Amino acid sequence: MLERGEVANSWRRERWDSLRLLTPNWQSRLPGLRYEGLEPDGYMTMGEVTEFIERFAKVSGAPVRTGVNVTSVRQADGGYRLATSSGEIHARTVVIASGACNQPAVPALHDAVPPSVEQFTPFGYRNPSQLPDGGVLVVGASATGVQLAAELRQSGRPVTLSVGEHVRLPRTYRGRDVLWWMDAAGVWDQRYDEVEDLTRARRLPSPQLVGTPERTTLDLNELTSMGVELVGRWAAIRDGRALFSGGLRNMFSLADLKMVRLLDTFDEWARTSGRDAEVGPPERFPPTRVPESTRLHLDLQSGEIRAIVWATGFRPDYGWLDVPVVDAKGQLRHEGGVVECPGLYALGLPVLRRRKSTFIYGITIDAREVTDHLARYLAVPE
Ligand SMILES: Cc1cc2nc3c(=O)[nH]c(=O)nc-3n(C[C@H](O)[C@H](O)[C@H](O)COP(=O)(O)OP(=O)(O)OC[C@H]3O[C@@H](n4cnc5c(N)ncnc54)[C@H](O)[C@@H]3O)c2cc1C
């Protein structure tokens, strides 16, 4: 196992200070290691996640070689030749587990932002003290965007949030964590080959969730109550003016509708599996409030906005992979983790084999199935 940094590198280096997992502690489980602390319903801080993964590296006896950067992988001699910062390696098979979120995905719009406005991504952002005083435009209203908008607003800054397609979820439902429901009702076990539109499922934004000791819901209504101004999707920039799409009402109704459908699925599961008595009564939540008037543009040169935080998602980095298996959008071409080139495998990508593949606890079954394939491949003589 080659790791360019340290064990749990992404959790140590690429996250902001206040971040906690959005998956509850009991859900942090890896083969032979599970959370055994006093707060199964709490959410780990970054320090706790790092410790957890370090412990897993020890418990599993994983042969990790840290500080080894893989700079190239190419096909050679019936397998692969890897160039690394510690020399060359030949391997018959390679498992790409380099992560799905190596770089922030920032739209080309950022190039035209006037230089007087400072720009941040979740990789560079640590806490509000880094930002200049004054207004902040947060772009993107998925897990990262809603969390950073709330934190920046709480620091006393005026915050505008540009909202595109999003997934609304309550933190708890009928007294249980919403992710308990996803797990129990089998939503996250859905296999990649059963998903209707796999490309879409793999690109779905993260849900609007935050892990806090109070288990608070952080949806757009909560942000509006905090004084965050909502605007539409950032569509263009012209002469230093950010232009936003209209249609917030439609976007909000769609997200509300999808949430209600999901809650219906949970209710149906509770009823048919005889679990109704174990949980609270069904709940429904107020629709997302549409602002009375929404601004369609913002002059970025007026001084109102001093900083932009791009919470527009992440993407993988395969700059080191010299095998033609990456598509035009920068995504690896694979079938359930079996990459198009014999002997090449992938793990840890969205909906790799199941909807839960993106999450720490989703790796167990994916890894088993992918390594089964790999073992069969190795069993055939060269
Ligand atoms: C902001 C954020 C919040 C998240 N919150 C949650 C959560 O609450 N719960 C949850 O279950 N999941 C969460 N996730 C998803 C989480 O990232 C995955 O569950 C998990 O970390 C994926 O692990 P991984 O090992 O596949 O990828 P990573 O953690 O990205 O690890 C990949 C490793 O590969 C190394 N690497 C990359 N390229 C090379 C190279 N060329 N040579 C050598 N080494 C290399 C990197 O240094 C890194 O350590 C979150 C993700 C993000 C971005």
Side-chain angles (χ1 to χ4, degrees), residues 92-93 345 368-380:
R92 246 193 97 194
T93 61
Y345 294 88
R368 198 176 300 134
E369 291 177 359
V370 167
T371 49
D372 278 352
H373 191 292
L374 186 151
R376 285 198 302 277
Y377 176 80
L378 283 180
V380 178

Side-chain angles (χ1 to χ4, degrees), residues 2-11 14-16 19-23 53 68-71 97-102 123 144 314 317 320 347-349 357-361 363:
L2 307 179
E3 165 57 55
R4 63 184 169 193
E6 297 167 75
V7 169
N9 210 52
S10 57
W11 300 107
E14 295 167 1
R15 310 282 190 258
W16 55 97
L19 181 66
R20 285 173 180 261
L21 287 189
L22 49 79
T23 40
I53 294 177
V68 181
N69 189 21
V70 177
T71 52
S98 51
C101 305
N102 306 114
F123 272 31
T144 304
F314 302 92
D317 175 14
W320 46 271
L347 281 173
L349 301 178
S357 297
T358 326
F359 295 95
I360 294 172
Y361 92 115
I363 195 64

Side-chain angles (χ1 to χ4, degrees), residues 137-214:
L137 172 62
V138 177
V139 190
S142 294
T144 304
V146 295
Q147 291 183 29
L148 299 189
E151 171 163 293
L152 288 162
R153 180 71 198 119
Q154 277 155 356
S155 76
R157 290 171 173 78
V159 174
T160 306
L161 177 64
S162 165
V163 183
E165 187 195 350
H166 57 276
V167 178
R168 181 183 178 196
L169 285 184
R171 180 71 266 184
T172 56
Y173 181 62
R174 300 178 67 176
R176 298 286 180 102
D177 196 290
V178 73
L179 301 187
W180 176 86
W181 286 95
M182 292 282 206
D183 191 44
V187 176
W188 274 0
D189 285 324
Q190 193 184 20
R191 287 175 52 96
Y192 74 106
D193 45 11
E194 294 164 359
V195 173
E196 217 169 274
D197 186 346
L198 185 58
T199 310
R200 195 180 141 65
R202 285 184 169 157
R203 285 170 43 194
L204 214 57
S206 56
Q208 289 172 336
L209 285 177
V210 62
T212 59
E214 302 77 26

Side-chain angles (χ1 to χ4, degrees), residues 109 137-139 160-163 229-237 241-248 294-300 305:
L109 292 168
L137 172 62
V138 177
V139 190
T160 306
L161 177 64
S162 165
V163 183
E229 178 186 352
L230 306 182
V231 294
R233 195 180 142 67
W234 188 349
I237 183 163
R241 287 160 80 83
L243 310 182
F244 305 106
S245 314
L248 276 186
T294 323
R295 285 203 276 182
L296 292 176
H297 43 80
L298 240 175
D299 184 358
L300 297 175
I305 298 293

Side-chain angles (χ1 to χ4, degrees), residues 230-260:
L230 306 182
V231 294
R233 195 180 142 67
W234 188 349
I237 183 163
R238 217 164 288 146
D239 304 327
R241 287 160 80 83
L243 310 182
F244 305 106
S245 314
L248 276 186
R249 183 178 301 278
N250 286 347
M251 201 156 45
F252 291 179
S253 335
L254 191 65
D256 290 350
L257 180 77
K258 285 187 180 163
M259 178 179 71
V260 171

